[in-house]
mmCIF file of all heavy atoms in Angstrom:
data_model
loop_
_atom_site.group_PDB
_atom_site.id
_atom_site.type_symbol
_atom_site.label_atom_id
_atom_site.label_comp_id
_atom_site.label_asym_id
_atom_site.label_seq_id
_atom_site.Cartn_x
_atom_site.Cartn_y
_atom_site.Cartn_z
ATOM 1 N N VAL A 155 8.017 -45.374 49.702
ATOM 2 C CA VAL A 155 6.913 -44.660 49.108
ATOM 3 C C VAL A 155 7.079 -44.689 47.603
ATOM 4 O O VAL A 155 8.102 -44.287 47.110
ATOM 5 C CB VAL A 155 6.865 -43.184 49.604
ATOM 6 C CG1 VAL A 155 5.715 -42.428 48.932
ATOM 7 C CG2 VAL A 155 6.736 -43.122 51.097
ATOM 8 N N PHE A 156 6.095 -45.206 46.933
ATOM 9 C CA PHE A 156 6.082 -45.310 45.482
ATOM 10 C C PHE A 156 4.911 -44.506 44.935
ATOM 11 O O PHE A 156 3.782 -44.891 45.175
ATOM 12 C CB PHE A 156 6.011 -46.747 45.032
ATOM 13 C CG PHE A 156 7.161 -47.605 45.448
ATOM 14 C CD1 PHE A 156 7.094 -48.301 46.621
ATOM 15 C CD2 PHE A 156 8.330 -47.657 44.672
ATOM 16 C CE1 PHE A 156 8.170 -49.115 47.027
ATOM 17 C CE2 PHE A 156 9.392 -48.435 45.081
ATOM 18 C CZ PHE A 156 9.330 -49.155 46.261
ATOM 19 N N THR A 157 5.235 -43.423 44.296
ATOM 20 C CA THR A 157 4.175 -42.581 43.630
ATOM 21 C C THR A 157 4.838 -41.821 42.523
ATOM 22 O O THR A 157 6.090 -41.771 42.439
ATOM 23 C CB THR A 157 3.501 -41.715 44.647
ATOM 24 O OG1 THR A 157 2.353 -41.071 44.044
ATOM 25 C CG2 THR A 157 4.390 -40.636 45.207
ATOM 26 N N ALA A 158 4.044 -41.208 41.695
ATOM 27 C CA ALA A 158 4.587 -40.432 40.534
ATOM 28 C C ALA A 158 5.483 -39.277 40.978
ATOM 29 O O ALA A 158 5.474 -38.834 42.146
ATOM 30 C CB ALA A 158 3.440 -39.903 39.733
ATOM 31 N N LYS A 159 6.244 -38.795 40.041
ATOM 32 C CA LYS A 159 7.136 -37.645 40.297
ATOM 33 C C LYS A 159 6.292 -36.421 40.687
ATOM 34 O O LYS A 159 5.131 -36.322 40.320
ATOM 35 C CB LYS A 159 7.926 -37.293 39.047
ATOM 36 C CG LYS A 159 8.983 -38.289 38.698
ATOM 37 C CD LYS A 159 9.716 -37.758 37.456
ATOM 38 C CE LYS A 159 10.894 -38.681 37.157
ATOM 39 N NZ LYS A 159 11.710 -38.195 36.060
ATOM 40 N N LYS A 160 6.924 -35.516 41.426
ATOM 41 C CA LYS A 160 6.311 -34.246 41.821
ATOM 42 C C LYS A 160 5.079 -34.402 42.712
ATOM 43 O O LYS A 160 4.173 -33.610 42.681
ATOM 44 C CB LYS A 160 5.972 -33.432 40.576
ATOM 45 C CG LYS A 160 7.131 -33.148 39.680
ATOM 46 C CD LYS A 160 8.218 -32.369 40.366
ATOM 47 C CE LYS A 160 9.425 -32.144 39.447
ATOM 48 N NZ LYS A 160 10.579 -31.703 40.151
ATOM 49 N N GLN A 161 5.095 -35.433 43.563
ATOM 50 C CA GLN A 161 3.970 -35.647 44.482
ATOM 51 C C GLN A 161 4.361 -35.323 45.953
ATOM 52 O O GLN A 161 3.603 -35.574 46.842
ATOM 53 C CB GLN A 161 3.457 -37.083 44.374
ATOM 54 C CG GLN A 161 2.947 -37.454 43.019
ATOM 55 C CD GLN A 161 1.789 -36.567 42.592
ATOM 56 O OE1 GLN A 161 0.822 -36.408 43.308
ATOM 57 N NE2 GLN A 161 1.912 -35.946 41.417
ATOM 58 N N GLY A 162 5.573 -34.835 46.176
ATOM 59 C CA GLY A 162 5.971 -34.442 47.512
ATOM 60 C C GLY A 162 6.693 -35.522 48.290
ATOM 61 O O GLY A 162 6.770 -35.423 49.534
ATOM 62 N N LYS A 163 7.188 -36.533 47.646
ATOM 63 C CA LYS A 163 7.877 -37.617 48.366
ATOM 64 C C LYS A 163 9.100 -37.112 49.077
ATOM 65 O O LYS A 163 9.344 -37.443 50.262
ATOM 66 C CB LYS A 163 8.279 -38.719 47.380
ATOM 67 C CG LYS A 163 7.164 -39.468 46.742
ATOM 68 C CD LYS A 163 7.652 -40.548 45.762
ATOM 69 C CE LYS A 163 8.512 -40.095 44.669
ATOM 70 N NZ LYS A 163 7.862 -39.360 43.585
ATOM 71 N N SER A 164 9.932 -36.309 48.446
ATOM 72 C CA SER A 164 11.183 -35.809 49.002
ATOM 73 C C SER A 164 10.870 -34.880 50.198
ATOM 74 O O SER A 164 11.547 -34.925 51.232
ATOM 75 C CB SER A 164 12.033 -35.124 47.983
ATOM 76 O OG SER A 164 12.490 -36.009 46.993
ATOM 77 N N THR A 165 9.872 -34.043 50.017
ATOM 78 C CA THR A 165 9.503 -33.122 51.132
ATOM 79 C C THR A 165 9.016 -33.892 52.319
ATOM 80 O O THR A 165 9.365 -33.615 53.442
ATOM 81 C CB THR A 165 8.441 -32.115 50.623
ATOM 82 O OG1 THR A 165 8.934 -31.441 49.458
ATOM 83 C CG2 THR A 165 8.077 -31.113 51.666
ATOM 84 N N LEU A 166 8.162 -34.903 52.083
ATOM 85 C CA LEU A 166 7.694 -35.775 53.167
ATOM 86 C C LEU A 166 8.837 -36.471 53.805
ATOM 87 O O LEU A 166 8.924 -36.516 55.059
ATOM 88 C CB LEU A 166 6.693 -36.791 52.622
ATOM 89 C CG LEU A 166 6.085 -37.751 53.644
ATOM 90 C CD1 LEU A 166 5.233 -37.001 54.661
ATOM 91 C CD2 LEU A 166 5.276 -38.824 52.961
ATOM 92 N N ALA A 167 9.775 -37.033 53.039
ATOM 93 C CA ALA A 167 10.925 -37.746 53.575
ATOM 94 C C ALA A 167 11.770 -36.813 54.429
ATOM 95 O O ALA A 167 12.290 -37.168 55.490
ATOM 96 C CB ALA A 167 11.759 -38.355 52.478
ATOM 97 N N ALA A 168 11.964 -35.575 53.990
ATOM 98 C CA ALA A 168 12.726 -34.602 54.755
ATOM 99 C C ALA A 168 12.074 -34.311 56.086
ATOM 100 O O ALA A 168 12.756 -34.169 57.154
ATOM 101 C CB ALA A 168 12.931 -33.306 53.953
ATOM 102 N N GLY A 169 10.765 -34.188 56.127
ATOM 103 C CA GLY A 169 10.045 -34.004 57.376
ATOM 104 C C GLY A 169 10.219 -35.184 58.313
ATOM 105 O O GLY A 169 10.427 -35.028 59.525
ATOM 106 N N ILE A 170 10.177 -36.380 57.742
ATOM 107 C CA ILE A 170 10.386 -37.603 58.534
ATOM 108 C C ILE A 170 11.809 -37.638 59.138
ATOM 109 O O ILE A 170 11.986 -38.006 60.308
ATOM 110 C CB ILE A 170 10.077 -38.860 57.712
ATOM 111 C CG1 ILE A 170 8.591 -38.979 57.379
ATOM 112 C CG2 ILE A 170 10.555 -40.135 58.433
ATOM 113 C CD1 ILE A 170 8.248 -40.052 56.381
ATOM 114 N N VAL A 171 12.765 -37.206 58.334
ATOM 115 C CA VAL A 171 14.151 -37.126 58.828
ATOM 116 C C VAL A 171 14.220 -36.273 60.083
ATOM 117 O O VAL A 171 14.783 -36.648 61.069
ATOM 118 C CB VAL A 171 15.097 -36.525 57.736
ATOM 119 C CG1 VAL A 171 16.402 -36.035 58.321
ATOM 120 C CG2 VAL A 171 15.366 -37.568 56.637
ATOM 121 N N ASN A 172 13.674 -35.065 60.018
ATOM 122 C CA ASN A 172 13.754 -34.148 61.172
ATOM 123 C C ASN A 172 12.963 -34.691 62.329
ATOM 124 O O ASN A 172 13.415 -34.602 63.482
ATOM 125 C CB ASN A 172 13.271 -32.771 60.746
ATOM 126 C CG ASN A 172 14.266 -32.084 59.823
ATOM 127 O OD1 ASN A 172 15.478 -32.220 60.022
ATOM 128 N ND2 ASN A 172 13.758 -31.408 58.788
ATOM 129 N N TYR A 173 11.799 -35.320 62.100
ATOM 130 C CA TYR A 173 11.055 -35.907 63.212
ATOM 131 C C TYR A 173 11.874 -37.049 63.819
ATOM 132 O O TYR A 173 11.965 -37.173 65.075
ATOM 133 C CB TYR A 173 9.693 -36.427 62.720
ATOM 134 C CG TYR A 173 8.904 -37.067 63.851
ATOM 135 C CD1 TYR A 173 8.213 -36.294 64.784
ATOM 136 C CD2 TYR A 173 8.911 -38.470 63.998
ATOM 137 C CE1 TYR A 173 7.511 -36.881 65.808
ATOM 138 C CE2 TYR A 173 8.232 -39.022 65.016
ATOM 139 C CZ TYR A 173 7.527 -38.248 65.943
ATOM 140 O OH TYR A 173 6.831 -38.861 66.981
ATOM 141 N N ALA A 174 12.445 -37.923 62.995
ATOM 142 C CA ALA A 174 13.166 -39.058 63.497
ATOM 143 C C ALA A 174 14.342 -38.618 64.344
ATOM 144 O O ALA A 174 14.650 -39.224 65.381
ATOM 145 C CB ALA A 174 13.638 -39.936 62.354
ATOM 146 N N LEU A 175 15.007 -37.541 63.943
ATOM 147 C CA LEU A 175 16.137 -37.036 64.752
ATOM 148 C C LEU A 175 15.647 -36.519 66.109
ATOM 149 O O LEU A 175 16.254 -36.795 67.124
ATOM 150 C CB LEU A 175 16.838 -35.926 64.005
ATOM 151 C CG LEU A 175 17.891 -36.328 63.017
ATOM 152 C CD1 LEU A 175 18.418 -35.139 62.279
ATOM 153 C CD2 LEU A 175 19.016 -37.074 63.714
ATOM 154 N N LEU A 176 14.574 -35.769 66.094
ATOM 155 C CA LEU A 176 14.114 -35.128 67.339
ATOM 156 C C LEU A 176 13.385 -36.095 68.264
ATOM 157 O O LEU A 176 13.447 -35.931 69.485
ATOM 158 C CB LEU A 176 13.213 -33.942 67.010
ATOM 159 C CG LEU A 176 13.977 -32.778 66.338
ATOM 160 C CD1 LEU A 176 12.972 -31.819 65.727
ATOM 161 C CD2 LEU A 176 14.894 -32.123 67.348
ATOM 162 N N ALA A 177 12.747 -37.133 67.710
ATOM 163 C CA ALA A 177 11.978 -38.057 68.561
ATOM 164 C C ALA A 177 12.666 -39.379 68.733
ATOM 165 O O ALA A 177 12.156 -40.238 69.464
ATOM 166 C CB ALA A 177 10.586 -38.264 67.917
ATOM 167 N N GLY A 178 13.815 -39.546 68.119
ATOM 168 C CA GLY A 178 14.478 -40.884 68.106
ATOM 169 C C GLY A 178 15.191 -41.277 69.346
ATOM 170 O O GLY A 178 15.679 -42.393 69.463
ATOM 171 N N GLY A 179 15.292 -40.370 70.322
ATOM 172 C CA GLY A 179 15.992 -40.721 71.549
ATOM 173 C C GLY A 179 17.532 -40.644 71.380
ATOM 174 O O GLY A 179 18.011 -40.135 70.383
ATOM 175 N N ARG A 180 18.182 -41.081 72.369
ATOM 176 C CA ARG A 180 19.660 -41.004 72.405
ATOM 177 C C ARG A 180 20.301 -41.814 71.310
ATOM 178 O O ARG A 180 19.890 -42.948 71.039
ATOM 179 C CB ARG A 180 20.224 -41.486 73.741
ATOM 180 C CG ARG A 180 19.936 -40.537 74.891
ATOM 181 C CD ARG A 180 21.031 -40.612 75.956
ATOM 182 N NE ARG A 180 20.987 -39.473 76.786
ATOM 183 C CZ ARG A 180 21.522 -38.290 76.490
ATOM 184 N NH1 ARG A 180 22.167 -38.161 75.364
ATOM 185 N NH2 ARG A 180 21.453 -37.285 77.313
ATOM 186 N N ARG A 181 21.254 -41.226 70.678
ATOM 187 C CA ARG A 181 22.119 -41.838 69.681
ATOM 188 C C ARG A 181 21.314 -42.444 68.490
ATOM 189 O O ARG A 181 21.716 -43.449 67.944
ATOM 190 C CB ARG A 181 23.042 -42.871 70.336
ATOM 191 C CG ARG A 181 23.922 -42.213 71.389
ATOM 192 C CD ARG A 181 25.003 -43.088 71.940
ATOM 193 N NE ARG A 181 25.978 -43.295 70.874
ATOM 194 C CZ ARG A 181 26.555 -44.492 70.663
ATOM 195 N NH1 ARG A 181 26.349 -45.479 71.458
ATOM 196 N NH2 ARG A 181 27.441 -44.640 69.677
ATOM 197 N N ALA A 182 20.244 -41.791 68.126
ATOM 198 C CA ALA A 182 19.510 -42.235 66.974
ATOM 199 C C ALA A 182 20.328 -42.031 65.679
ATOM 200 O O ALA A 182 21.003 -41.019 65.548
ATOM 201 C CB ALA A 182 18.168 -41.500 66.850
ATOM 202 N N GLU A 183 20.271 -43.026 64.807
ATOM 203 C CA GLU A 183 20.967 -42.930 63.516
ATOM 204 C C GLU A 183 19.906 -43.009 62.431
ATOM 205 O O GLU A 183 19.159 -43.985 62.374
ATOM 206 C CB GLU A 183 21.962 -44.058 63.400
ATOM 207 C CG GLU A 183 23.115 -43.978 64.346
ATOM 208 C CD GLU A 183 24.118 -45.109 64.176
ATOM 209 O OE1 GLU A 183 24.069 -45.829 63.118
ATOM 210 O OE2 GLU A 183 24.960 -45.270 65.081
ATOM 211 N N VAL A 184 19.810 -41.972 61.619
ATOM 212 C CA VAL A 184 18.806 -41.887 60.571
ATOM 213 C C VAL A 184 19.588 -41.816 59.243
ATOM 214 O O VAL A 184 20.480 -40.979 59.087
ATOM 215 C CB VAL A 184 17.922 -40.667 60.743
ATOM 216 C CG1 VAL A 184 16.848 -40.573 59.651
ATOM 217 C CG2 VAL A 184 17.290 -40.645 62.132
ATOM 218 N N TYR A 185 19.260 -42.669 58.288
ATOM 219 C CA TYR A 185 19.968 -42.705 57.016
ATOM 220 C C TYR A 185 19.010 -42.529 55.889
ATOM 221 O O TYR A 185 17.884 -43.073 55.908
ATOM 222 C CB TYR A 185 20.709 -44.026 56.820
ATOM 223 C CG TYR A 185 21.800 -44.280 57.833
ATOM 224 C CD1 TYR A 185 21.556 -45.034 58.979
ATOM 225 C CD2 TYR A 185 23.056 -43.707 57.652
ATOM 226 C CE1 TYR A 185 22.528 -45.221 59.931
ATOM 227 C CE2 TYR A 185 24.048 -43.918 58.629
ATOM 228 C CZ TYR A 185 23.753 -44.694 59.759
ATOM 229 O OH TYR A 185 24.766 -44.871 60.674
ATOM 230 N N GLY A 186 19.412 -41.795 54.884
ATOM 231 C CA GLY A 186 18.671 -41.701 53.654
ATOM 232 C C GLY A 186 19.570 -42.190 52.518
ATOM 233 O O GLY A 186 20.693 -41.657 52.336
ATOM 234 N N VAL A 187 19.157 -43.216 51.791
ATOM 235 C CA VAL A 187 19.988 -43.823 50.792
ATOM 236 C C VAL A 187 19.304 -43.669 49.437
ATOM 237 O O VAL A 187 18.140 -43.954 49.282
ATOM 238 C CB VAL A 187 20.255 -45.319 51.089
ATOM 239 C CG1 VAL A 187 21.189 -45.928 50.047
ATOM 240 C CG2 VAL A 187 20.852 -45.480 52.498
ATOM 241 N N ALA A 188 20.079 -43.243 48.430
ATOM 242 C CA ALA A 188 19.598 -43.100 47.065
ATOM 243 C C ALA A 188 20.660 -43.684 46.163
ATOM 244 O O ALA A 188 21.764 -44.029 46.578
ATOM 245 C CB ALA A 188 19.359 -41.646 46.731
ATOM 246 N N HIS A 189 20.332 -43.854 44.879
ATOM 247 C CA HIS A 189 21.274 -44.407 43.947
ATOM 248 C C HIS A 189 22.536 -43.583 43.828
ATOM 249 O O HIS A 189 23.624 -44.140 43.740
ATOM 250 C CB HIS A 189 20.643 -44.534 42.515
ATOM 251 C CG HIS A 189 19.679 -45.655 42.386
ATOM 252 N ND1 HIS A 189 20.098 -46.960 42.393
ATOM 253 C CD2 HIS A 189 18.348 -45.705 42.260
ATOM 254 C CE1 HIS A 189 19.059 -47.768 42.263
ATOM 255 N NE2 HIS A 189 17.965 -47.024 42.185
ATOM 256 N N THR A 190 22.404 -42.289 43.808
ATOM 257 C CA THR A 190 23.587 -41.381 43.651
ATOM 258 C C THR A 190 23.647 -40.391 44.782
ATOM 259 O O THR A 190 22.673 -40.125 45.447
ATOM 260 C CB THR A 190 23.527 -40.613 42.319
ATOM 261 O OG1 THR A 190 22.466 -39.679 42.387
ATOM 262 C CG2 THR A 190 23.353 -41.554 41.122
ATOM 263 N N ARG A 191 24.823 -39.830 44.945
ATOM 264 C CA ARG A 191 25.015 -38.777 45.958
ATOM 265 C C ARG A 191 24.127 -37.577 45.690
ATOM 266 O O ARG A 191 23.559 -36.996 46.617
ATOM 267 C CB ARG A 191 26.474 -38.382 45.994
ATOM 268 C CG ARG A 191 26.874 -37.419 47.110
ATOM 269 C CD ARG A 191 28.383 -37.390 47.291
ATOM 270 N NE ARG A 191 28.781 -36.290 48.156
ATOM 271 C CZ ARG A 191 28.730 -36.289 49.433
ATOM 272 N NH1 ARG A 191 28.206 -37.302 50.086
ATOM 273 N NH2 ARG A 191 29.172 -35.244 50.152
ATOM 274 N N ASP A 192 23.969 -37.232 44.411
ATOM 275 C CA ASP A 192 23.110 -36.097 44.069
ATOM 276 C C ASP A 192 21.635 -36.385 44.474
ATOM 277 O O ASP A 192 20.956 -35.491 44.997
ATOM 278 C CB ASP A 192 23.154 -35.805 42.557
ATOM 279 C CG ASP A 192 24.473 -35.181 42.156
ATOM 280 O OD1 ASP A 192 25.184 -34.624 43.027
ATOM 281 O OD2 ASP A 192 24.769 -35.218 40.950
#
């Protein structure tokens, strides 16, 4: 997702994380990768 700052990208991604975990079936692995740990 490429859009300007403060448009809700992180909030949307967090929702996708939770959906992917709950709907992903057995042994789903969901990763979020950024440049830094912070």
